[in-house]
Amino acid sequence: MSKMKTPAAKSRKQMIVAGVMSGTSADGINVALVEISDNSLVRPSHSIQLLGHAAFPYPSQVRRAILSAMNAQSASVADLARLNSLLGELYADAVLATQKRFRVNANLVGCHGQTLYHQGEAQPFLGRKLTTTWQTGEGAIIAARVGVPVISDFRPADMAAGGKGAPLVPYLDYLWFRDAKLGRIVQNIGGIANLTAIPAGASPNELLAFDTGPGNMVIDALTQELFKKPFDRDGKIAASGEVLEQVLAHFLRLPFFNSKPPKTAGREEFGREFVDDFLRLCQRGRNQDVIATATALTARSIADAIRRFVLARKSTPPKNNANRTANSARTTHYHEIVLSGGGARNSTLVAMLAEQMSPLGIVIRFSDEFGLPSDAKEAVAFAVLAYETWHRQRSNVPAATGARQPAILGKISYA
């Protein structure tokens, strides 16, 4: 149980919100029960207290169905419709079980849903150029079973405003990790790796956030293929291998890694086709070398993104800065990188990243040190976003997603 302190003020709009997250790794459901109150008329300023969190792995046949549907060239419409309803039931089960475990009932649920497809760049379709995203899991089922309103389908509102629909977690990153004196990079390593760079004393419009590339997605897929294990526990397989530097260099030259933020990624970029190419280029190496190289790809792509797009960026001082001039800009210094997500438990990956960060003077820390358990972070984020939507407040970060303006996210299913 943890608390982020904010300036003392009379508490307003206090609610308990259940945040529900299932990520691109499709390994299961995370639920966080969060007590939130808005303590100031100046937004965003909140008190956020984590009351409890729990994880529920998907049944193996459900995970197989999800993975086969992701970025699929063809799929049964009936099966996709059934999957939407099934996931609604599983999310409801998870919320009810978490409430029972911690003896706390939520007033509201914020459910991200399971991403089946995400296309942040406009592509032609039937005479129009469109961006699109699809998070499945029926909110109406959750609302009916839990008995409280549900906010779901968060990403389309940002995309309708010209954004890429991701990343959305920077809103929580700013609330939880901002510091008046320290610049921090908050790095989540889930299926996809994404960062939020928060300069010291930053306002929300000074954030920089984007997807850096694969997190655990490629490592997990290759570990399943080569070792029949769902993931490389503690990075032990990677630690026994050697990095195939030529293969690593080849993949780091891909257009995604060279494109400037804002940018977002998913299985469309790093799914089954990418894994097939990776295996083909690694065919002369041992199986352990393949996992080591995939792990190095995650670490090196994060480090390269930080060097090229974060540390090289100059930020404009806040408007209330007395030293600001019309054309002034300041170089931002970052002291810490705060890790979260499943990749934070991979010792080999963390060691590789630490080796990359050391010459930059950036120290590795973990979100758990700040009272935000790594496994709960994204679920907490969608609890906070749901709270904002319920109070008709905008909560995307245009500096992160590229949207033209802030937007109220999500759709409401009433109980």
Side-chain angles (χ1 to χ4, degrees):
M1 299 186 186
S2 53
K3 190 171 185 178
M4 180 184 69
K5 295 181 179 178
T6 53
K10 186 178 180 180
S11 179
R12 301 187 300 115
K13 305 176 183 174
Q14 184 170 324
M15 299 182 77
I16 295 174
V17 186
V20 184
M21 180 66 193
S22 47
T24 49
S25 294
D27 48 6
I29 303 165
N30 290 296
V31 179
L33 293 170
V34 187
E35 186 174 77
I36 308 171
S37 57
D38 183 355
N39 287 340
S40 174
L41 293 175
V42 179
R43 304 182 64 83
S45 181
H46 299 66
S47 173
I48 304 172
Q49 183 174 2
L50 177 60
L51 304 177
H53 66 99
F56 304 87
Y58 281 135
S60 58
Q61 68 271 28
V62 174
R63 186 169 191 261
R64 284 196 297 271
I66 292 169
L67 292 175
S68 65
M70 285 180 172
N71 195 32
Q73 293 298 313
S74 61
S76 162
V77 173
D79 285 347
L80 293 175
R82 292 170 183 140
L83 185 61
N84 180 58
S85 296
L86 174 62
L87 288 175
E89 296 284 356
L90 294 178
Y91 293 146
D93 289 345
V95 172
L96 291 169
T98 306
Q99 290 185 154
K100 183 177 181 180
R101 181 180 304 180
F102 293 100
R103 299 180 182 179
V104 173
N105 290 328
N107 310 116
L108 181 71
V109 174
C111 182
H112 173 269
Q114 183 67 62
T115 299
L116 294 185
Y117 187 77
H118 185 84
Q119 177 199 307
E121 297 290 340
Q123 295 184 15
F125 179 74
L126 301 181
R128 293 284 185 100
K129 290 193 74 175
L130 305 171
T131 59
T132 191
T133 190
W134 186 10
Q135 284 72 48
T136 194
E138 184 52 59
I141 292 175
I142 307 169
R145 292 205 41 216
V146 178
V148 299
V150 174
I151 315 292
S152 59
D153 209 14
F154 289 86
R155 300 190 185 278
D158 179 81
M159 299 178 83
K164 297 184 181 299
L168 299 182
V169 175
Y171 190 80
L172 173 70
D173 289 340
Y174 176 75
L175 288 175
W176 202 285
F177 295 104
R178 73 188 190 273
D179 188 276
K181 297 181 179 179
L182 290 178
R184 287 189 177 123
I185 299 167
V186 184
Q187 179 75 53
N188 185 69
I189 309 176
I192 292 294
N194 49 74
L195 67 75
T196 304
I198 312 171
S203 63
N205 60 11
E206 290 184 277
L207 303 186
L208 176 65
F210 58 95
D211 290 350
T212 59
N216 306 312
M217 181 182 296
V218 176
I219 303 169
D220 290 353
L222 290 166
T223 302
Q224 179 66 52
E225 176 70 22
L226 299 176
F227 294 92
K228 307 306 177 187
K229 296 180 179 180
F231 61 96
D232 181 13
R233 186 179 296 276
D234 201 32
K236 290 181 179 179
I237 298 174
S240 67
E242 298 290 334
V243 175
L244 305 173
E245 291 292 344
Q246 287 186 330
V247 174
L248 180 60
H250 168 81
F251 284 106
L252 287 172
R253 288 193 293 268
L254 291 177
F256 176 86
F257 298 117
N258 292 300
S259 62
K260 295 180 180 180
K263 56 182 178 178
T264 183
R267 289 189 181 274
E268 296 72 27
E269 290 77 20
F270 300 108
R272 59 177 70 90
E273 295 86 357
F274 182 90
V275 168
D276 289 344
D277 287 344
F278 201 95
L279 277 171
R280 179 175 54 80
L281 289 181
C282 290
Q283 60 187 348
R284 294 185 179 180
R286 298 177 304 144
N287 288 350
Q288 293 89 338
D289 300 339
V290 177
I291 306 303
T293 306
T295 305
L297 176 63
T298 293
R300 199 79 60 86
S301 60
I302 291 171
D304 285 354
I306 289 171
R307 290 190 194 94
R308 297 174 62 185
F309 304 124
V310 177
L311 300 184
R313 176 188 185 230
K314 291 187 181 295
S315 61
T316 303
K319 292 183 179 179
N320 59 358
N321 189 321
N323 297 322
R324 177 188 173 107
T325 63
N327 296 311
S328 65
R330 57 191 169 104
T331 301
T332 301
H333 297 283
Y334 293 93
H335 305 81
E336 300 174 340
I337 180 169
V338 183
L339 302 185
S340 63
R345 297 192 301 273
N346 183 323
S347 299
T348 303
L349 173 56
V350 172
M352 287 179 174
L353 186 57
E355 184 180 7
Q356 295 288 316
M357 292 295 100
S358 181
L360 305 177
I362 298 175
V363 176
I364 286 188
R365 298 187 67 184
F366 298 88
S367 66
D368 303 67
E369 299 175 46
F370 296 84
L372 185 57
S374 178
D375 291 342
K377 181 188 167 188
E378 289 187 295
V380 172
F382 284 94
V384 172
L385 294 177
Y387 175 90
E388 297 292 54
T389 298
W390 187 251
H391 293 103
R392 300 186 182 182
Q393 298 296 326
R394 304 172 192 275
S395 57
N396 62 332
V397 179
T401 67
R404 292 184 295 272
Q405 70 265 344
I408 299 174
L409 305 177
K411 299 164 186 175
I412 303 175
S413 300
Y414 291 95

